[in-house]
Amino acid sequence: METVHTRVEGVPDEEAQQTRTIRIIGAWCTGISACYLLSFALLGWWLCLAFQVVFFCWYALVYQLTNRSNCRHSGVLLVAGGTGHLTGLSLLFVAPALGFHFFLILVPIVALIAIHREDRGWLVAFTVIAIATLGFIEFTRDTFVPLYVVSV
């Protein structure tokens, strides 16, 4: 049987809502990344700053390029960037004692919001990566040292 979709006047359709949601999350990610850029520059953490520039540009591009025709891809790209960003900072630069790795808990929540329901395989993949990284860092908390640890 064919499903009939009806549109209620005044209520945006699913693609419009998805696009608006991804753009809002992308704007927040870009803004937060800009704050990290400023912080890392003021602290003189140049390698960490270079890493941050990549993800600032990633979030800004996703924000700028998201439209109704590519909102499914944009949601996946946004969460991929967030997962890579948080995983990279946690494994490469920030010591577990600072608790930065706990931000990985946000990945499944944002993925649930940003990834289209037909692309839920990506939700599972990003969730597994985030939880595995969080678990690894937490269980090796006493002995784990990031590759390029920054001094605080």
Side-chain angles (χ1 to χ4, degrees):
M1 286 198 72
E2 186 176 323
T3 305
V4 177
H5 298 282
T6 57
R7 185 148 195 258
V8 178
E9 189 64 35
V11 177
D13 63 0
E14 185 177 350
E15 284 179 347
Q17 288 178 335
Q18 186 80 13
T19 302
R20 188 174 58 242
T21 301
I22 292 167
R23 287 185 55 83
I24 289 169
I25 295 170
W28 276 99
C29 290
T30 304
I32 291 168
S33 282
C35 291
Y36 276 119
L37 281 173
L38 180 62
S39 299
F40 294 160
L42 291 173
L43 291 169
W45 296 349
W46 306 117
L47 193 57
C48 202
L49 178 71
F51 182 82
Q52 187 66 31
V53 165
V54 171
F55 288 98
F56 173 80
C57 293
W58 182 277
Y59 298 134
L61 277 172
V62 169
Y63 172 76
Q64 287 296 322
L65 300 177
T66 298
N67 58 42
R68 291 180 70 146
S69 66
N70 67 7
C71 69
R72 283 182 62 181
H73 301 297
S74 296
V76 172
L77 290 173
L78 182 66
V79 177
T83 304
H85 185 199
L86 293 172
T87 300
L89 282 175
S90 297
L91 293 175
L92 296 174
F93 301 105
V94 183
L98 295 176
F100 188 84
H101 59 287
F102 289 116
F103 286 115
L104 285 163
I105 293 171
L106 296 174
V107 169
I109 297 165
V110 172
L112 189 61
I113 295 167
I115 295 177
H116 192 273
R117 66 175 178 239
E118 293 176 15
D119 296 326
R120 291 301 183 206
W122 288 108
L123 171 97
V124 172
F126 295 131
T127 299
V128 167
I129 292 168
I131 291 174
T133 304
L134 176 64
F136 168 74
I137 293 172
E138 198 55 34
F139 285 119
T140 60
R141 176 182 203 95
D142 297 331
T143 58
F144 179 74
V145 178
L147 193 56
Y148 306 105
V149 69
V150 291
S151 59
V152 179

